Amino acid sequence: MTEADAASVARLAPASPDFEARREAGRALRARMPRSSHAEWSPSPTRADPVSLLEEQAAQRDPELVPIRHGRMRVSPFAFFRGAALIMAGDLAPRPDSGLVVQLCGDAHLSNFGLFGTPERRLVFDINDFDETLPGPFEWDVKRLAASFEIAGRHRGFTDDERRDLRREAVRGYREQMQGSAEASVLDAWYDSVAIERLQEWVRRERAADHIGKRQVNQLDSIVAKAFTKDRMKAFSKLVAVEDGRMRIIADPPIVVPIEDFEGVGQAVTADVMHDVLTSYRSTLVADRHPLAEYSYVHMARRVSGVGSVGTRAWILLLKGRDDGDPILLQAKEAQASVLERFLGSSEFESHGERVVRGQRMMQASGDIFLGWQRGIADATGRQRDFYVRQLHDWKGSFDPEGMVPAGGMLYARLCGQTLARAHGRTGDRVQIAAYLGRSHVFDEAISDFAVTYADQNEDDFRTFTRAIESGRLEAVDA
C-alpha cells in the first residue's frame, strides 16, 4: 500500500441515506477486488525480519519487562501470534485491499473477545481489546481472526477438517451477521448486542439440536458464574492489604511493583498531584456528573498482564469512596502508536489514549463508564506518556483456548465473527460491506485459505523468534 493509499483509508466516511446506491457500490467493488483474491498471500521479497520488528517495539517499552513479554510469547505459536500484531500488519499492508473502511480492532484474535459488565448491570459479550484500533480495511480484522482460529486449532491438535470448520465458521458468522445488520432497521443495527441471556439461550438451542454436547453448555454456565464473581471487590481482596492502618496494593515483583519503589517517580506522586491527574481524566468521561468525583486517591502500583502489551506501562490505581470499605481499582494502560499507523496513516487524535477510547466507544455496543484517557506523570526519563483508563474488573469472563474442543470452538468462532461484524457495522458502511460479501461462500473460502497459509508463516516466524532467544539475541524470562 502506497502512502497515498494509506491516506485514503485512514478516515471513516459518513454513510449515505441512499441505501440502494450503497449496495450497488459494494457489489461494484468485487470487480476491483474479487472476493476470491483474499486467499492470496505470500511473503513480500522485502518482508521485514520479524525479530527486528519485535526489537523495534521493545525499544519503546520498559526494558525491565521486555524479557517477560518474550517469555510469554515463546510458550507456543499461538502465544507468539498474540504478540505479533505488528508483524501481521506489515504482511497485510503490501496487498491490495477492499477499500471498505471500518474502525479496526487491529488485534482481533480469538482471545480478545469476552464477557464484561455494562453500566446497566448487564453481562454482555463483545470485543475487549482496542490498543491497536485505527480506521482501515475491514478484512484485516477478519483475516487476523480467522488465522487465530487456525493457529489455536493446531495448538490444540485439531484435525485438518476440524480446523477448516473453525475458520469457515468464524468468517460465515461475520458475513451472515453483516447481512443481517444491513437488512435491519438503522437503530436495530446500531443497538444490537449480545447479552448473556441471549447467548445462553442460543447455546441451549444448539444443544437441543444436538450440535454440541452438555459439556459446552456447562462450560458457558461456569464462565458466566465466574464472571459475576470477578468484580471490584474480588480484585480488591486479591490485590490490596492494610499496612500500618493504611490500604496498600500488595507488592509481587516483577508483576506488581508499588509506586514508591520507583526512584524519582514515586516521590512525585503525591495526593495533590493525583487529585489533579484524576480531575483531568474525569473531563474525558462521558457523563457530566460522574461517580469518580466522590473518590479520592489512595495508592498505585505497576502491574504486568497479558502478552502483546507487556512492556508498555500499566498501573493500577486504588481509590476510596465513602471509606475503606468502599474502594475501586482502576487500570491505566499506556497507549502507544497503533501498529497499524505506519501502514494506514497517523491517528487523527493527538493522544493515543484518546485514540483507544474513541475507537472502543465506537466499536462496543456498551462500555465502561470509567473509560477515559489521560497523559501520565513524567517517568524517570522525563517523558510523559499517553494512557487510557478503565475499571480493573467489572465482571469479566473469557474463553480459554487451552481447553477448546471442536464443537465448542465452532460456536465460539461463529460468535466472534458475529461480534466483529456488529462492531464493523456500527463504524463502517454495513450496507456496502454486506453487498460486497454477498450470500455465497466465496469470501469465506478465500479467508479460510489465507488463514492456513498465514498460520504456516506464523510457525516459521515462531521458529525464528525462538532461535533468536536461544542465540542470546533476545532475552526471555518466565513470569
Side-chain angles (χ1 to χ4, degrees):
M1 182 179 297
T2 67
E3 290 184 6
D5 291 333
S8 71
V9 301
R11 300 290 181 268
L12 297 171
S16 161
D18 189 338
F19 286 79
E20 186 55 39
R22 289 157 65 186
R23 277 189 286 271
E24 289 303 317
R27 293 189 192 102
L29 282 172
R30 297 180 193 172
R32 185 178 70 81
M33 181 69 179
R35 292 166 294 172
S36 59
S37 68
H38 289 285
E40 299 167 9
W41 185 81
S42 59
S44 166
T46 59
R47 185 177 192 257
D49 169 35
V51 174
S52 295
L53 291 176
L54 295 176
E55 288 173 327
E56 283 184 38
Q57 284 191 305
Q60 303 299 318
R61 301 189 178 210
D62 187 334
E64 179 186 353
L65 301 180
V66 168
I68 296 176
R69 182 181 194 236
H70 295 160
R72 293 182 179 184
M73 288 175 66
R74 72 174 169 184
V75 169
S76 68
F78 179 66
F80 174 80
F81 182 76
R82 290 181 61 182
L86 173 60
I87 297 170
M88 187 169 188
D91 287 332
L92 293 174
R95 293 288 307 158
D97 65 77
S98 68
L100 291 166
V101 179
V102 299
Q103 186 73 26
L104 293 173
C105 164
D107 193 15
H109 63 71
L110 65 88
S111 291
N112 278 342
F113 294 75
L115 300 172
F116 63 90
T118 73
E120 300 79 22
R121 299 295 78 195
R122 296 163 57 234
L123 191 64
V124 299
F125 183 89
D126 213 327
I127 306 170
N128 61 16
D129 189 301
F130 299 88
D131 287 9
E132 311 300 347
T133 188
L134 200 73
F138 83 94
E139 66 269 20
W140 284 26
D141 270 353
V142 182
K143 288 178 177 180
R144 186 153 177 82
L145 179 63
S148 75
F149 276 102
E150 170 65 16
I151 294 164
R154 293 183 184 188
H155 178 63
R156 292 289 297 144
F158 291 2
T159 66
D160 290 349
D161 288 345
E162 288 166 344
R163 298 197 312 275
R164 180 195 61 216
D165 290 344
L166 278 182
R167 301 187 306 266
R168 290 176 174 173
E169 199 68 12
V171 187
R172 183 169 74 91
Y174 181 93
R175 178 176 52 80
E176 292 182 349
Q177 177 60 48
M178 191 64 76
Q179 294 288 351
S181 296
E183 294 167 2
S185 70
V186 172
L187 287 183
D188 283 348
W190 278 81
Y191 290 154
D192 193 16
S193 64
V194 183
I196 192 57
E197 297 81 8
R198 179 179 174 186
L199 179 55
Q200 289 176 311
E201 180 184 349
W202 175 49
V203 169
R204 281 167 170 73
R205 287 200 305 270
E206 292 292 305
R207 174 70 182 102
D210 210 27
H211 294 157
I212 58 171
K214 185 177 180 181
R215 176 185 175 186
Q216 282 71 53
V217 178
N218 292 340
Q219 280 181 329
L220 175 61
D221 290 344
S222 177
I223 291 170
V224 171
K226 187 176 180 181
F228 280 120
T229 70
K230 295 185 73 171
D231 59 9
R232 61 189 179 91
M233 296 309 297
K234 178 69 172 289
F236 175 79
S237 66
K238 291 177 63 177
L239 293 168
V240 179
V242 176
E243 299 176 359
D244 298 326
R246 298 185 303 169
M247 293 192 296
R248 285 291 179 267
I249 298 169
I250 303 166
D252 182 21
I255 303 303
V256 181
V257 180
I259 186 66
E260 57 268 21
D261 292 343
F262 289 90
E263 185 177 351
V265 180
Q267 290 72 18
V269 181
T270 64
D272 288 342
V273 168
M274 288 307 299
H275 173 77
D276 293 342
V277 168
L278 291 172
T279 299
S280 176
Y281 150 62
R282 191 170 74 219
S283 70
T284 71
L285 301 176
V286 173
D288 291 331
R289 287 183 57 82
H290 195 282
L292 182 68
E294 299 189 58
Y295 286 90
S296 59
Y297 169 76
V298 178
H299 195 214
M300 66 187 290
R302 185 192 72 189
R303 184 176 187 232
V304 180
S305 60
V307 177
S309 62
V310 174
T312 55
R313 283 71 177 169
W315 300 91
I316 46 176
L317 282 69
L318 172 62
L319 312 179
K320 71 174 182 179
R322 183 183 298 274
D323 51 35
D324 285 2
D326 183 21
I328 189 171
L329 285 161
L330 302 180
Q331 181 186 48
K333 287 190 68 179
E334 183 183 1
Q336 298 184 342
S338 167
V339 298
L340 306 180
E341 290 191 48
R342 69 171 74 183
F343 312 110
L344 296 178
S346 298
S347 168
E348 65 181 293
F349 301 108
E350 182 179 349
S351 162
H352 289 295
E354 182 174 4
R355 171 186 59 78
V356 171
V357 171
R358 298 286 187 188
Q360 182 166 344
R361 287 176 181 169
M362 283 191 287
M363 295 187 75
Q364 283 187 331
S366 184
D368 177 7
I369 63 170
F370 285 89
L371 181 66
W373 66 90
Q374 172 59 34
R375 174 146 288 190
I377 299 165
D379 60 20
T381 68
R383 176 180 173 183
Q384 288 191 315
R385 299 176 184 274
D386 294 335
F387 288 84
Y388 65 95
V389 186
R390 62 188 180 185
Q391 287 192 71
L392 180 61
H393 282 166
D394 184 27
W395 298 345
K396 187 178 180 181
S398 58
F399 176 86
D400 182 8
E402 294 296 332
M404 184 170 67
V405 297
M410 288 274 289
L411 278 187
Y412 187 67
R414 191 189 319 169
L415 179 62
C416 290
Q418 292 170 342
T419 301
L420 184 62
R422 288 187 180 92
H424 284 179
R426 278 190 289 271
T427 66
D429 191 330
R430 65 191 182 282
V431 177
Q432 276 198 55
I433 296 172
Y436 175 76
L437 296 176
R439 298 187 181 279
S440 74
H441 298 283
V442 174
F443 183 76
D444 310 9
E445 294 292 341
I447 298 296
S448 175
D449 290 347
F450 165 87
V452 174
T453 304
Y454 199 78
D456 292 342
Q457 181 63 61
N458 183 74
E459 289 184 356
D460 287 345
D461 291 346
F462 177 68
R463 285 189 286 269
T464 300
F465 170 71
T466 54
R467 285 196 296 268
I469 293 173
E470 292 163 0
S471 71
R473 178 179 174 182
L474 298 179
E475 183 183 358
V477 298
D478 296 325

